[in-house]
Amino acid sequence: TVGVTFVLEALGHLGETGTSKFTRTTEQMQTRLLDIKGAVVPGAISRVSRFDVFEVGTLLRAAGVESLEDAHDGDSSASFRYDGLVVQLTVDCPMERSGAINRCDYKALRIQKAPAEAMSVYRGTDGSMLTQERRGIKLVITVHGSIGVFDMPTFLLTWVSSLACVELVAVCIDFLLSYILPYKAVYRMVMFEESPDFSGLRARSPKAQVCVERWRGRDEYLKAVDAGKEGQADAAEAVEEGGTPWQHRCSSTS
């Protein structure tokens, strides 16, 4: 049998909040063993105190090894029992919406073409140096998990930064269209419109009044275009006269 135990801690959140949900032990979590296809192996884990206990045969079958007498993929002339094998046991602990962890999955996977051997050197009873080669099952355990908490200041900072990036893109595009790309003068004309000088209107300036009449004529022209045939006739007349109706009206009154 093999016993596994572990502890998950988010030290930063634990120190800031002091909440117990940011430190979890094996005893506090539900665990299960998954095979190489992602299916749950029923009855594979026995909980003994703080240890999850597996039978070696169950762990090997979950990793895709049916028998130790099968030929090793790294050396077809030897078996898994002779050359040994390496099994990676990954402990995957997904975070729930609350930010805590309540469940972990063991995922077993055999490392392809990897033998498991160890060398030990010791002194014999006669004083000579002896070397012992051992082969067997090497178990490599890795733990993955995330524990978090929703933070409003961080969210607002990210949101404002995203809006600033979008606005920056718009400013760059407007600059290219207004000053670099072809038809830049036309784009500036439709992008920027001058309004009447309100100080001139208060002073009853003729120039400001002409400008207001120009805007009023433009609005009437656009309404006529939206209305249908009348607007189309006005537009055709304007093209023949070399402009738009409100430009012609302004030129005749100025």
Side-chain angles (χ1 to χ4, degrees):
T1 58
V2 177
V4 178
T5 185
F6 56 89
V7 177
L8 297 175
E9 288 186 340
L11 298 179
H13 292 319
L14 182 62
E16 292 176 1
T17 64
T19 306
S20 60
K21 71 177 182 180
F22 296 122
T23 175
R24 309 294 285 174
T25 64
T26 312
E27 299 172 279
Q28 297 173 308
M29 291 181 289
Q30 299 177 355
T31 54
R32 57 184 186 174
L33 176 63
L34 307 181
D35 60 15
I36 55 176
K37 297 181 180 180
V40 179
V41 180
I45 303 175
S46 300
R47 180 65 57 83
V48 179
S49 182
R50 61 188 180 89
F51 288 91
D52 284 338
V53 180
F54 307 87
E55 291 186 0
V56 176
T58 303
L59 195 60
L60 291 178
R61 285 190 293 272
V65 180
E66 295 297 331
S67 174
L68 290 176
E69 306 306 327
D70 293 341
H72 200 290
D73 54 355
D75 183 5
S76 58
S77 63
S79 64
F80 286 116
R81 186 182 299 277
Y82 181 81
D83 264 2
L85 68 158
V86 180
V87 176
Q88 180 179 1
L89 185 63
T90 302
V91 186
D92 185 21
C93 303
M95 182 178 64
E96 297 184 351
R97 297 187 63 179
S98 62
I101 293 177
N102 295 314
R103 177 179 60 82
C104 291
D105 294 332
Y106 294 98
K107 300 178 181 179
L109 176 66
R110 181 178 65 85
I111 305 302
Q112 301 292 324
K113 300 182 180 181
E117 57 184 5
M119 305 290 292
S120 61
V121 180
Y122 62 96
R123 188 179 299 276
T125 56
D126 58 353
S128 61
M129 301 300 295
L130 302 177
T131 302
Q132 185 181 56
E133 180 180 353
R134 298 178 179 178
R135 302 191 182 190
I137 302 172
K138 182 179 181 181
L139 190 61
V140 180
I141 301 177
T142 58
V143 181
H144 301 280
S146 299
I147 302 177
V149 63
F150 181 79
D151 185 56
M152 180 60 73
T154 303
F155 168 75
L156 292 177
L157 179 61
T158 305
W159 181 57
V160 172
S161 300
S162 302
L163 293 180
C165 290
V166 172
E167 184 63 26
L168 181 61
V169 171
V171 170
C172 293
I173 293 176
D174 288 339
F175 178 81
L176 291 175
L177 291 173
S178 301
Y179 300 101
I180 297 178
L181 296 180
Y183 302 105
K184 51 192 176 184
V186 177
Y187 184 79
R188 286 199 304 270
M189 180 181 65
V190 293
M191 182 176 179
F192 304 105
E193 296 185 62
E194 290 188 26
S195 64
D197 187 354
F198 292 95
S199 60
L201 287 176
R202 286 191 291 269
R204 299 186 180 276
S205 169
K207 183 178 180 180
Q209 293 178 2
V210 169
C211 187
V212 171
E213 291 297 328
R214 181 185 305 163
W215 277 79
R216 183 180 293 115
R218 186 193 68 167
D219 293 340
E220 293 175 356
Y221 168 73
L222 294 177
K223 291 178 181 179
V225 171
D226 293 337
K229 296 182 179 180
E230 181 182 355
Q232 295 176 3
D234 290 341
E237 179 185 357
V239 171
E240 293 177 358
E241 296 178 358
T244 60
W246 68 84
Q247 288 176 340
H248 177 68
R249 185 179 294 114
C250 288
S251 62
S252 64
T253 54
S254 58

